[in-house]
Amino acid sequence: MSYWIAFPAIIAAPVLGGLLHGADRVIRARMQSRKGPPLLQPFLDLLKLLEKRQFIVHSYHALLALAHMIVLWVSIGMLFFNSDLLMVIYFHLLATLLLVVAGYSVRSVFSNMGATRELVASLTYEPVFVLCVIALFTQYGTFQPAGILTSANPPLYTLPFIFFALLIALPVKLKKSPFDISEAHQEIIGGVEIEFSGFYKGVLLVSKWLDYVYVYSFLYLFSGGQLGLALAIFVGVFVLLAAVDNATARVTYGEMNRITLPLVIILVVINYVVLSIQRVAI
Amino acid sequence: MNSLQLCSVLLLVLPWSFALLIYFSNRFFRYALTLVAVVSLAVISVVANLQSASEVHWSLSSSGSQLLLGLDYLILALFTWIGFHTKSWRIALLSIFQIVLLAWISGKLPHAGVPDFRVDRLASLMYLLINGVGGVVAFFALRYIEDEKTTQRRQSLFTALLVAFLGVMNFLVSVNNIEWFYLAFEATTLASFLLIGFRQDEISRKNAQTALWMNQIGGVSILLALALLTVNQNTIHFSTLSRMEGMFPLLPIAFLVIAALVKGAQLPFSGWLLGAMVAPTPVSAILHSSTMVKIAPYLLLRLAPLIAGTWLSFSTILLTGVVYILAGVMALSENNFKRVLAWSTVGLLGLMMLTAAIGTPQAMTAALALMLFHGVSKALLFLQAGVLEKVFHKKNIDEFGQLIRYAPITTFFINVGFLSIALPPFGAFVGKWLGLATASSGMGLLQLLLPILVMSFGSVVLSILYFKIMGVLAMKMEAHYRSSNSRAIELEKLPWVYLCSGFGLFGVLALAAIFIAPILANALVPAVNQLLGSQTVTPWLWADGLSIGLGFTTIYFWQILLAFLLVVTVPPVFYLLLLRNVDIVKEYACGEKFASNFVMYSYSGGRKVERLHNRILALLFAVILLTGVIGQ
């Protein structure tokens, strides 16, 4: 992506993410035969949060939410600026860390538990992102998005099983059922979020949007830059995630790891076996 | 004698001389001499690395080698005596077996006129690690040991032992002759035995004995390798080994690999390193960071060109890979801070040996970077464990809550220590990153699969461990804490020695992070190229200013700087900031009234996992031997 597109895209990332969040809510409602909120509801939510009087527990706690959002934004910016994908993933890991520290730093059982679960969740999705990037690298010989996006053969066709592995990890990352253990509103009341209010809750809302952008940017890589395919991936995954979110009940974190980790490993192994057979055949 | 040789001779001789002087000095001279020793050793190792000459060789006269052989017997006799004295038959039998083996070998040793000392780039880099980081630890120990209930004389002895240890390590990395390597290996075993048993209580003695017999298995393993090499290859030098062409009998190499794995505390031989935690903390710091366990990746790096692409390499990758993940899981189930650090060392040593065993230039550079920078990070972490123990009287992680409030400096150091292993832009991270990037090395896809899976999962397990502890450090700060200007931040008062050593290591980490590109391109990659004996025309890694360039990707300097800013500066600055015009409230906690008194979660399966996997790993050791036999 040239700088002239990257800069505005980075600035617009939260807006994009907000729209995604809004669309997600609409689609989920429609699946339940509800009308659902308007598309711009997340922005209205944000405006309301920003207007509120500021109640905080302590400054460090509140500021860590801000740091979390900044680091997330930076990691997305790096992605758009054609940075090394592993660096992007580890920047993203730093954002997780800041949220975890925030979650632990207050005397609230739900917040602490949410922080722990945030860590458990990252055990599930981070390796998948890393494995994705490495698989892309073995196939395209580059760690930078530009090289993947200009290739003739989109990764979706060469690395389909890795793509499935990523799909399994997405509900964990985006906190969607059945793997929304780190948020789990009925259990731990939103986890880390619970002790934030007003402006800083708004900051976390924006972080959530940024996570959408981060995840769908990764999915975009699998289209190899072909717009039609990208659109198909986007719509397919978007609807699929909403459907799964609607149709499944939350599992425990132990079950989550037992379900996802073996599946991911098997999928990765299958993909590598297929690739190596192809290479031998050629 | 050129200047590189002069440097290494000084590094071999000076630590011993200083150690002797320190032993016979009072408190003032102990401080003064140790300072002089640490500074001069560090300066000499820096000078050694700045030399243009990349390699020097020299030999000793035959009486010199006789003397060293005598020393060998002396150490073994000492071990035998320890074995009988403590009624530990394991130690006694292993020692006697070694004496017999050594006597048999020493009659047959080939004298091919190969130089017995060889200092190459890898050795020079090891000097830097040993004397730089080890020196800081010895300096730290000056103050630490004063808080122990022990006499002045024993305090001097402690510091002297630490400094002498550096001498042993310098000797170990300078030798070319595997027989002398064995001597150095046994000498480090002796040094660690003395240091682990320093407190002279029941548990210290017991754990020191464990360390002794376990490491002697490594010694036996080297001797067996030596015997095989003498009989079949008629060579006992690293330099001639690495020049062997074609199919090379792997059994002696397999024995050397096993020695490395034992020294590197890989499961099921992890017991000695964890047992070492009973010793004064500087002992752990020096064992984990710059000496002892670092012999393992060092030896593997030397052997890597020989085993690359063989089944031996694969079985080593398998074992170390399993250890890498298991050690992370074990660490998650520990509560004692030092034991957590120890498990993380075991795991990361696994990673270092794994990457070294892959044997491609990229992977070996990864191993080297990990080995060097992990040393700095682990030293920093262990020193903070010492500070926590002596100043704040805390050893367990569940007592670390709110540490950030009353010990912000220590917390900062601990955070930097962990972050510098887990996240960019630090050297250890770059090592992990290179390890992952190793996929470019042209290995078969399926061979690659195992290291890739292990590295991507293992690094996240360890990251979770670090993040958990960093979370606990900031845990449960009181709601009204620092809600107004009246409660300004209070820095803890630490002894100047602690502060200096902490900031010194932090400075090294920070500088290495900023200048990582030239360090990689001008020091680490050439060292690996020299090991591989390759004169590659096109370098695969280069420094573009301060950016790291690789053929397939670039890490720009702005990214390094940004990472540094976000990882190191932002959290402390945000901690110092105070929000104005806000209302401070108590936690909402969904209106729950009960006091939440849970501290943190640990993974509970640790013990069970350990027992189960010790068996599997013992099997994997057998597999390594087997692959050696097949290679034969």
Side-chain angles (χ1 to χ4, degrees):
Chain A
M1 230 186 280
S2 81
Y3 292 160
W4 297 112
I5 308 174
F7 258 125
I10 292 168
I11 307 288
V15 181
L16 213 65
L19 286 173
L20 283 171
H21 191 200
D24 191 34
R25 288 174 69 175
V26 171
I27 286 190
R28 265 187 307 166
R30 293 292 150 83
M31 285 176 176
Q32 297 167 0
S33 310
R34 287 191 289 118
K35 187 161 180 288
L39 183 67
L40 296 182
Q41 186 61 43
F43 297 100
L44 301 177
D45 290 349
L46 180 68
L47 282 179
K48 189 177 158 201
L49 285 171
L50 296 187
E51 273 176 0
K52 287 195 166 195
R53 196 171 143 196
Q54 292 190 27
F55 291 107
I56 64 165
V57 178
H58 52 71
S59 297
Y60 191 41
H61 179 242
L63 286 170
L64 278 173
L66 202 59
H68 171 68
M69 188 191 77
I70 292 170
V71 175
L72 268 182
W73 208 337
V74 167
S75 72
I76 287 170
M78 289 183 60
L79 194 61
F80 289 179
F81 266 116
N82 193 26
S83 296
D84 185 281
L85 286 169
L86 281 176
M87 285 288 272
V88 173
I89 290 177
Y90 281 92
F91 264 75
H92 193 266
L93 194 61
L94 172 66
T96 310
L97 164 72
L98 293 169
L99 195 62
V100 166
V101 173
Y104 276 130
S105 73
V106 288
R107 289 172 178 272
S108 162
V109 66
F110 300 115
S111 180
N112 296 3
M113 219 184 290
T116 308
R117 288 190 178 194
E118 202 73 53
L119 285 179
V120 175
S122 74
L123 175 64
T124 311
Y125 66 77
E126 286 292 349
V128 182
F129 279 89
V130 174
L131 283 168
C132 246
V133 170
I134 295 174
L136 287 170
F137 174 66
T138 37
Q139 193 60 18
Y140 298 94
T142 176
F143 274 118
Q144 288 171 307
I148 299 161
L149 292 177
T150 51
S151 66
N153 213 0
L156 184 64
Y157 301 148
T158 52
L159 303 167
F161 297 96
I162 305 273
F163 183 74
F164 286 138
L166 188 60
L167 281 189
I168 293 171
L170 286 193
V172 189
K173 175 70 242 178
L174 293 176
K175 298 173 183 173
K176 286 183 174 303
S177 207
F179 301 138
D180 57 339
I181 59 144
S182 59
E183 199 177 62
H185 269 285
Q186 300 84 340
E187 260 183 84
I188 54 169
I189 344 274
V192 175
E193 290 174 13
I194 184 177
E195 300 305 334
F196 291 99
S197 60
F199 179 81
Y200 296 98
K201 175 87 173 175
V203 165
L204 279 191
L205 187 61
V206 175
S207 309
K208 195 183 171 83
W209 302 348
L210 288 172
D211 260 341
Y212 273 93
V213 177
Y214 175 76
V215 162
Y216 283 104
S217 308
F218 252 92
L219 287 174
Y220 176 65
L221 289 180
F222 277 84
S223 74
Q226 300 179 7
L227 275 181
L229 189 61
L231 209 64
I233 291 179
F234 168 71
V235 173
V237 172
F238 203 73
V239 174
L240 182 71
L241 280 183
V244 171
D245 191 29
N246 264 332
T248 53
R250 185 183 314 117
V251 298
T252 67
Y253 71 89
E255 285 165 351
M256 179 181 79
N257 285 346
R258 277 195 293 276
I259 294 168
T260 56
L261 293 185
L263 258 179
V264 163
I265 291 174
I266 290 169
L267 285 170
V268 171
V269 171
I270 290 177
N271 212 138
Y272 269 81
V273 170
V274 170
L275 275 183
S276 61
I277 291 172
Q278 277 174 353
R279 284 199 187 176
V280 171
I282 294 163
Chain B
M1 185 184 271
N2 71 20
S3 44
L4 180 56
Q5 191 181 354
L6 180 70
C7 288
S8 39
V9 169
L10 279 177
L11 287 174
L12 294 180
V13 178
L14 277 183
W16 292 96
S17 330
F18 275 117
L20 264 179
L21 288 175
I22 290 168
Y23 179 61
F24 290 110
S25 54
N26 58 14
R27 182 172 181 274
F28 173 76
F29 280 105
R30 187 165 77 229
Y31 266 78
L33 280 168
T34 311
L35 257 178
V36 173
V38 166
V39 171
S40 59
L41 288 176
V43 168
I44 294 170
S45 18
V46 170
V47 171
N49 273 284
L50 295 178
Q51 298 304 315
S52 53
S54 62
E55 193 173 345
V56 287
H57 321 263
W58 73 94
S59 281
L60 281 187
S61 62
S62 67
S63 58
S65 14
Q66 288 302 320
L67 186 76
L68 287 178
L69 187 63
L71 218 59
D72 233 342
Y73 283 119
L74 198 67
I75 291 178
L76 286 174
L78 189 65
F79 285 167
T80 319
W81 179 79
I82 292 168
F84 280 109
H85 185 70
T86 58
K87 296 199 176 58
S88 167
W89 304 116
R90 245 191 297 224
I91 295 173
L93 280 176
L94 281 168
S95 320
I96 291 170
F97 182 59
Q98 288 181 84
I99 290 175
V100 175
L101 211 55
L102 185 63
W104 183 75
I105 293 168
S106 59
K108 296 176 184 280
L109 286 181
H111 295 285
V114 184
D116 292 316
F117 283 97
R118 185 183 61 159
V119 176
D120 55 3
R121 287 182 195 274
L122 176 63
S124 307
L125 284 171
M126 289 298 288
Y127 285 157
L128 212 53
L129 174 67
I130 294 162
N131 300 291
V133 178
V136 173
V137 176
F139 172 65
F140 175 91
L142 281 175
R143 178 69 184 77
Y144 179 95
I145 201 68
E146 287 180 349
D147 292 335
E148 292 274 309
K149 290 186 190 65
T150 179
T151 59
Q152 276 295 326
R153 172 43 57 85
R154 280 188 67 77
Q155 290 182 13
S156 294
L157 172 69
F158 186 70
T159 317
L161 271 175
L162 289 178
V163 175
F165 203 164
L166 303 182
V168 176
M169 281 299 294
N170 286 336
F171 177 69
L172 185 136
V173 297
S174 318
V175 294
N176 186 24
N177 183 331
I178 296 178
E179 189 206 347
W180 295 1
F181 180 81
Y182 166 75
L183 166 65
F185 192 92
E186 292 294 279
T188 57
T189 304
L190 176 64
S192 60
F193 171 79
L194 292 175
L195 285 169
I196 294 170
F198 185 80
R199 277 184 178 150
Q200 292 184 312
D201 47 16
E202 189 58 37
I203 181 134
S204 301
R205 284 209 195 92
K206 202 173 129 268
N207 289 348
Q209 285 166 24
T210 313
L212 187 53
W213 75 256
M214 278 194 182
N215 278 299
Q216 277 192 301
I217 292 179
V220 170
S221 192
I222 293 183
L223 276 181
L224 289 173
L226 208 50
L228 284 167
L229 285 174
T230 316
V231 174
N232 296 332
Q233 264 64 50
N234 201 31
T235 176
I236 52 161
H237 293 87
F238 284 120
S239 59
T240 42
L241 266 187
S242 61
R243 256 181 266 123
M244 291 274 174
E245 294 283 330
M247 272 303 284
F248 186 82
L250 282 175
L251 192 56
I253 309 300
F255 276 121
L256 287 177
V257 168
I258 287 177
L261 292 169
V262 172
K263 217 39 158 188
Q266 301 294 285
L267 293 160
F269 292 103
S270 56
W272 74 265
L273 191 62
L274 283 136
M277 295 302 126
V278 298
T281 306
V283 175
S284 317
I286 209 161
L287 291 183
H288 282 260
S289 62
S290 56
T291 63
M292 201 65 178
V293 296
K294 288 296 156 67
I295 297 171
Y298 166 79
L299 185 54
L300 250 273
L301 276 173
R302 285 241 178 270
L303 302 176
L306 289 171
I307 64 170
T310 64
W311 282 104
L312 177 58
S313 153
F314 183 77
S315 56
T316 311
I317 291 173
L318 187 62
L319 185 132
T320 50
V322 172
V323 170
Y324 182 37
I325 291 188
L326 277 185
V329 174
M330 293 301 301
L332 278 171
S333 65
E334 289 285 352
N335 186 23
N336 182 306
F337 187 49
K338 277 163 80 178
R339 284 179 72 87
V340 168
L341 293 181
W343 276 119
S344 115
T345 304
V346 172
L348 285 167
L349 283 168
L351 179 61
M352 288 169 216
M353 285 190 262
L354 183 152
T355 43
I358 293 175
T360 60
Q362 288 87 347
M364 284 169 69
T365 310
L368 189 54
L370 270 170
M371 176 167 72
L372 296 175
F373 295 114
H374 166 263
V376 189
S377 304
K378 252 320 144 47
L380 183 60
L381 284 168
F382 266 108
L383 296 192
Q384 299 323 305
V387 172
L388 287 173
E389 185 188 331
K390 288 296 176 201
V391 182
F392 303 102
H393 309 289
K394 287 183 194 308
K395 286 182 177 174
N396 296 326
I397 292 168
D398 58 11
E399 306 161 345
F400 284 3
Q402 300 204 43
L403 203 68
I404 197 172
R405 192 166 60 75
Y406 55 85
I409 299 176
T410 313
T411 306
F412 173 71
F413 285 148
I414 295 177
N415 283 346
V416 168
F418 282 137
L419 289 168
S420 62
I421 301 176
L423 289 179
F426 294 98
F429 168 79
V430 173
K432 280 186 183 177
W433 174 79
L434 271 177
L436 286 168
T438 252
S440 68
S441 58
M443 280 170 82
L445 282 178
L446 293 180
Q447 280 164 297
L448 207 65
L449 200 49
L450 176 72
I452 286 175
L453 282 173
V454 165
M455 281 192 262
S456 43
F457 280 95
S459 71
V460 175
V461 173
L462 279 184
S463 299
I464 287 180
L465 170 76
Y466 302 151
F467 291 0
K468 182 179 89 168
I469 297 170
M470 289 162 72
V472 172
L473 294 177
M475 201 166 203
K476 295 184 179 176
M477 301 212 304
E478 288 147 27
H480 294 274
Y481 172 62
R482 296 190 63 220
S483 55
S484 65
N485 285 334
S486 60
R487 300 188 66 170
I489 193 132
E490 272 177 43
L491 298 179
E492 73 267 41
K493 292 203 169 38
L494 292 173
W496 65 275
V497 172
Y498 293 177
L499 273 179
C500 287
S501 39
F503 276 110
L505 290 174
F506 169 66
V508 171
L509 279 174
L511 284 178
I514 301 287
F515 295 102
I516 187 72
I519 291 174
L520 281 175
N522 300 326
L524 268 54
V525 174
V528 168
N529 283 343
Q530 193 184 30
L531 279 176
L532 288 165
S534 61
Q535 280 92 36
T536 37
V537 189
T538 48
W540 58 272
L541 185 151
W542 55 90
D544 182 10
L546 293 177
S547 307
I548 309 173
L550 285 93
F552 45 86
T553 187
T554 310
I555 292 189
Y556 297 101
F557 183 59
W558 66 265
Q559 294 169 340
I560 295 174
L561 214 57
L562 194 63
F564 190 81
L565 197 74
L566 290 176
V567 173
V568 182
T569 359
V570 165
V573 169
F574 275 23
Y575 179 67
L576 296 176
L577 282 179
L578 265 185
L579 291 173
R580 304 283 165 83
N581 304 323
V582 289
D583 294 303
I584 303 288
V585 291
K586 282 217 160 184
E587 290 85 346
Y588 161 57
C590 207
E592 289 286 0
K593 288 290 180 227
F594 64 85
S596 87
N597 51 9
F598 100 101
V599 182
M600 82 174 174
Y601 288 112
S602 291
Y603 172 65
S604 62
R607 290 274 165 264
K608 210 166 62 189
V609 170
E610 191 180 15
R611 269 201 302 279
L612 176 70
H613 292 290
N614 268 344
R615 284 179 208 150
I616 297 174
L617 284 156
L619 205 71
L620 286 180
F621 262 86
V623 171
I624 287 185
L625 256 186
L626 193 72
T627 49
V629 175
I630 294 169
Q632 188 84 2

